[in-house]
Amino acid sequence: EYIKETIGVRSGMWAYHGINGFYNFGVWAWVMGGLAAYTLATRIVIRQMQRVQFPIPPWVNPVIMTAIFLLILLTLGNYRNGAGMLFWSFYIALFIACIYWSLKMDFSIFAGIVITSWILGTPSEYMGSAASHIWTFTHNPDFPPFFLVAGCWPLEILAQYSLSAFLANEPLNQTGG
């Protein structure tokens, strides 16, 4: 998260307004956001997705992940100039990892994580930016940019979920509860 926040701040996509512009709060807020996403996904959203009993082939997950990644590219708008090599290196690495991990997940878990990231993304970014001005987005001071919430959040949350499962030696199809 520190790397991602550093990329965003240095690229001029967003700015923090705390003491000397430090963004430690943003990093720790993301830790809390990741915990909230895990809890919401495993306790509610994935369970609801599992109630829908229709088989989805395994290749659908990476197709959806590719569409999400392309969504970032297609909706950057005014932020395109700030999306330099560090931004693209970071998100391409996440994309590749998420493609791999998505192949190892049931659709209900994959979709539950993506949907959860969308549920949490907009209000989280809005509360930190437009509502409280802890940070602001360069080209969208009144609302978080679409590419961030619709594209970046799913990549980041899926990566956090998958990396946590890997580090805990847990299967990706286990929902934690």
Side-chain angles (χ1 to χ4, degrees):
E1 290 313 315
Y2 182 77
I3 292 167
K4 181 202 44 111
E5 292 300 330
T6 300
I7 291 169
V9 168
R10 289 190 180 168
S11 68
M13 292 181 163
W14 56 81
Y16 280 87
H17 303 292
I19 300 170
N20 296 324
F22 287 122
Y23 43 92
N24 292 337
F25 175 81
V27 173
W28 288 110
W30 246 106
V31 170
M32 296 304 296
L35 290 171
Y38 176 81
T39 303
L40 180 62
T42 59
R43 302 288 187 232
I44 299 171
V45 180
I46 291 172
R47 289 180 182 182
Q48 295 304 312
M49 294 297 299
Q50 289 172 332
R51 294 176 79 176
V52 178
Q53 297 291 324
F54 57 92
I56 303 289
W59 56 266
V60 171
N61 295 353
V63 169
I64 293 170
M65 194 81 269
T66 301
I68 290 170
F69 181 75
L70 290 174
L71 192 65
I72 296 170
L73 179 65
L74 296 173
T75 61
L76 270 170
N78 292 334
Y79 291 95
R80 189 171 311 283
N81 291 337
M85 185 190 309
L86 289 176
F87 177 88
W88 288 115
S89 297
F90 180 75
Y91 283 102
I92 288 171
L94 284 183
F95 170 64
I96 292 167
C98 287
I99 289 289
Y100 172 76
W101 288 321
S102 75
L103 285 166
K104 299 185 174 298
M105 292 180 185
D106 290 338
F107 177 77
S108 60
I109 292 176
F110 171 78
I113 294 166
V114 170
I115 290 168
T116 300
S117 72
W118 289 334
I119 291 170
L120 289 177
T122 300
S124 297
E125 294 291 355
Y126 182 81
M127 287 187 303
S129 62
S132 66
H133 296 287
I134 294 170
W135 63 84
T136 52
F137 297 103
T138 306
H139 303 290
N140 301 64
D142 296 326
F143 205 76
F146 185 76
F147 80 89
L148 183 68
V149 175
C152 297
W153 267 73
L155 285 171
E156 294 168 27
I157 296 295
L158 187 67
Q160 289 174 6
Y161 180 92
S162 302
L163 183 59
S164 296
F166 172 76
L167 293 174
N169 199 27
E170 297 283 341
L172 287 171
N173 282 326
Q174 182 172 319
T175 59

